[in-house]
Amino acid sequence: MSSMLTHAIRNLSASSAWATRLFARSLSCSSQLQAAAVQPKSKKTLTKSGVKNIVVVEGVRIPFLQSGTSYTDLMPHDLARAALHVPRDVVDYIVYGTVIQEVKTSNVAREAALGAGFSDKTPAHTVTMACISSNQAMTTGVGMIAAGQCDVVVAGGVELMSDVPIRHSRKMRKTMLTLNRAKTLGQKLSLISKIRPDYFAPELPAVAEFSTSETMGHSADRLAAAFAISRLEQDEYALRSHTLAKKAQDGGLLLDVVPFKVPGKDTVTKDNGVRPSSMEQMGKLKPAFVKPYGTVTAANSSFLTDGASAILLMSEEKALAMGYKPKAYLRDFVYVSQDPKDQLLLGPTYATPKVLEKAGLTMADIDVFEFHEAFAGQILANLKAMDSDWFAQNYMGRKSKVGAPPLEKFNNWGGSLSLGHPFGATGCRLVITAAHRLKKEGGQYGLVAACAAGGQGHAMIVELYPQ
């Protein structure tokens, strides 16, 4: 493997410092994983005749940080370009996902690419699909490669919750735009005279559904109540997430994290939201959304997070020709939509059986599960829904349940509750974590699933590349 990567380095432009760091890091990561890897079980491959194999060559992310900390003075494209630890000269296309867009850099993929030193001849575009935006970026890249339009695509995601757009009220915006078109002093004075004090009230951003005007926290509280998930269960699950994340962080398992030298500040090397507490301390927190009887608190919810991630995708043929050793195949995937109010966060429940059926697999075939944790109540509600024949029959049109993932295979290196959830960047983290876990734990198939605002969801099968 070392000789193949060395050969690949020689064939890249000598000026590509990003590429050199990627390959050096790839060697280091591979050796660390290989040392402790368990031999994978022998299962059938999901390769299909006449269908191009798409592989993950590498995946990285800058540390995910709580908003208002070290990234607070940056812009989204600064984070996105910092995650572009990929060889610039071979990339055909770049796709990034984001949710809350900075209006000055609405196509953040393009701005990040230019800032990272990519050729101005490399096209880039940005997608948005709430919390599964980078999932959409990845599958967009998969489609482009499968269609023969590209051989090498970078897919990623970014979110900067430390600085979100705050607008004037609609009344003020309308007045200002009309004022800009006024031609005479009289017309301008007439418009100015109509401005009232309430025009100056700003429109603050809210993590709320446009169609229901309800925050996701309220939806999580209602979902937890509907599935009889107690405050104790939610706190226990949140503590599990932080404990496992801390163990993975201390054990050097989070190999996708790359250091980021923040301009004017220190180098950030790890996620800063991983904070195992105690059930006693967590129990002291008051409900955050439904007061005073709600069960969702700051301790059992994912926090507002800044971060960026990126994955290097190639056709298998191209990767091998360049001397790469891929990490995993990206196989079947599905997107789902359901009721955006009562079932806003049940995307994994609806997507999981569909992607399994599409791939010809069962739950028993999956060795590694990586599910997005928006709230502890949300993730536990999904597990209960997946394990309910009644729910499957009455809401999903299925004869029987798909079954819940066993916890011993589930989010074993922490999840969004502990590692953080920069909306647009989480999907890439899930996929590369699944690939790394498959190698270390000796599995072959991983299942990645996530919910998203708007009542949507995504699921994908990740297959370990032959070792």
Side-chain angles (χ1 to χ4, degrees):
M1 177 179 175
S2 176
S3 61
M4 285 193 295
L5 288 174
T6 303
H7 173 73
I9 293 174
R10 293 195 185 113
N11 280 279
L12 287 173
S13 166
S15 64
S16 183
W18 293 96
T20 305
R21 285 203 293 273
L22 166 73
F23 286 121
R25 185 184 166 281
S26 182
L27 281 171
S28 172
C29 293
S30 297
S31 60
Q32 288 181 55
L33 281 175
Q34 216 163 26
V38 181
Q39 287 300 313
K41 306 166 189 174
S42 179
K43 297 180 181 178
K44 66 176 182 178
T45 178
L46 297 183
T47 296
K48 298 176 182 177
S49 177
V51 177
K52 190 174 292 188
N53 285 324
I54 315 299
V55 295
V56 174
V57 171
E58 184 59 280
V60 299
R61 63 183 177 90
I62 60 173
F64 288 176
L65 302 187
Q66 292 181 323
S67 62
T69 56
S70 294
Y71 299 156
T72 188
D73 295 325
L74 302 179
M75 292 181 67
H77 72 287
D78 294 318
L79 305 189
R81 70 185 180 188
L84 285 172
H85 280 241
V86 297
R88 296 175 300 210
D89 300 337
V90 301
V91 175
D92 299 319
Y93 205 98
I94 298 173
V95 191
Y96 253 80
T98 195
V99 179
I100 301 179
Q101 295 184 343
E102 163 61 57
V103 294
K104 292 182 179 179
T105 57
S106 57
N107 186 4
V108 70
R110 177 65 170 171
E111 303 304 332
L114 293 174
F118 281 77
S119 166
D120 58 11
K121 302 297 190 292
T122 305
H125 79 272
T126 301
V127 296
T128 186
M129 201 173 181
C131 300
I132 52 176
S133 292
S134 64
N135 305 67
Q136 182 57 253
M138 284 185 286
T139 57
T140 297
V142 168
M144 296 176 79
I145 296 172
Q149 298 299 311
C150 303
D151 284 320
V152 182
V153 174
V154 173
V158 62
E159 214 68 51
L160 183 66
M161 298 302 294
S162 290
D163 182 26
V164 296
I166 297 175
R167 305 197 300 176
H168 278 293
S169 68
R170 189 176 183 88
K171 291 178 182 178
M172 178 59 89
R173 298 200 305 271
K174 183 177 180 180
T175 300
M176 293 173 71
L177 290 171
T178 306
L179 185 63
N180 192 50
R181 295 192 298 269
K183 296 180 179 180
T184 68
L185 178 61
Q187 289 174 333
K188 292 179 180 179
L189 291 175
S190 176
L191 287 167
I192 292 173
S193 69
K194 295 178 182 178
I195 295 176
R196 298 292 178 265
D198 65 315
Y199 281 32
F200 293 96
E203 287 185 0
L204 299 176
V207 185
E209 292 296 300
F210 179 80
S211 59
T212 64
S213 299
E214 187 175 68
T215 69
M216 284 187 285
H218 280 88
S219 296
D221 240 321
R222 187 170 55 254
L223 199 62
F227 284 89
I229 299 165
S230 68
R231 164 77 178 270
L232 178 63
E233 288 176 295
Q234 293 174 62
D235 286 352
E236 285 177 340
Y237 183 86
L239 182 58
R240 172 188 187 269
S241 182
H242 280 274
T243 301
L244 291 175
K246 178 65 173 173
K247 183 178 179 181
Q249 194 176 67
D250 292 347
L253 299 178
L254 305 181
L255 298 173
D256 55 328
V257 180
V258 294
F260 177 30
K261 176 63 174 74
V262 180
K265 299 182 181 179
D266 293 335
T267 298
V268 179
T269 60
K270 63 180 182 179
D271 309 314
N272 71 359
V274 181
R275 298 177 181 178
S277 182
S278 67
M279 291 297 293
E280 181 182 7
Q281 290 297 319
M282 295 171 72
K284 293 178 181 179
L285 296 184
K286 295 181 179 180
F289 300 99
V290 179
K291 303 173 182 180
Y293 302 114
T295 57
V296 174
T297 71
N300 57 42
S301 306
S302 59
F303 46 88
L304 296 179
T305 314
D306 302 333
S309 59
I311 275 186
L312 181 59
L313 304 176
M314 295 187 185
S315 64
E316 182 181 24
E317 182 181 12
K318 180 70 172 182
L320 296 180
M322 291 184 63
Y324 286 97
K325 179 62 180 293
K327 292 181 179 295
Y329 295 105
L330 294 188
R331 298 302 195 187
D332 292 287
F333 61 87
V334 298
Y335 288 93
V336 295
S337 293
Q338 60 279 343
D339 170 25
K341 187 174 182 180
D342 292 332
Q343 298 185 24
L344 174 71
L345 304 172
L346 286 179
T349 296
Y350 284 88
T352 295
K354 289 187 176 182
V355 80
L356 288 173
E357 289 167 3
K358 193 173 182 182
L361 300 175
T362 68
M363 290 290 278
D365 293 316
I366 304 301
D367 304 297
V368 161
F369 294 88
E370 284 293 327
F371 279 31
H372 165 44
E373 302 167 348
F375 304 88
Q378 161 262 330
I379 202 72
L380 293 173
N382 274 275
L383 298 185
K384 283 196 174 184
M386 292 169 70
D387 206 33
S388 168
D389 284 320
W390 181 87
F391 189 86
Q393 292 163 6
N394 287 274
Y395 286 95
M396 300 176 67
R398 299 177 56 83
K399 293 181 179 179
S400 61
K401 63 186 180 184
V402 65
L407 275 184
E408 62 268 19
K409 297 180 180 180
F410 192 82
N411 290 11
N412 286 358
W413 294 355
S416 304
L417 291 173
S418 49
L419 299 172
H421 175 38
F423 300 152
T426 291
C428 289
R429 178 191 67 78
L430 296 173
V431 166
I432 197 61
T433 299
H436 283 162
R437 280 187 57 201
L438 286 170
K439 173 136 185 172
K440 179 154 179 58
E441 297 173 15
Q444 184 168 346
Y445 300 133
L447 196 158
V448 170
C451 61
Q456 302 189 100
H458 172 258
M460 175 187 284
I461 301 295
V462 177
E463 181 182 346
L464 181 69
Y465 197 81
Q467 302 304 301

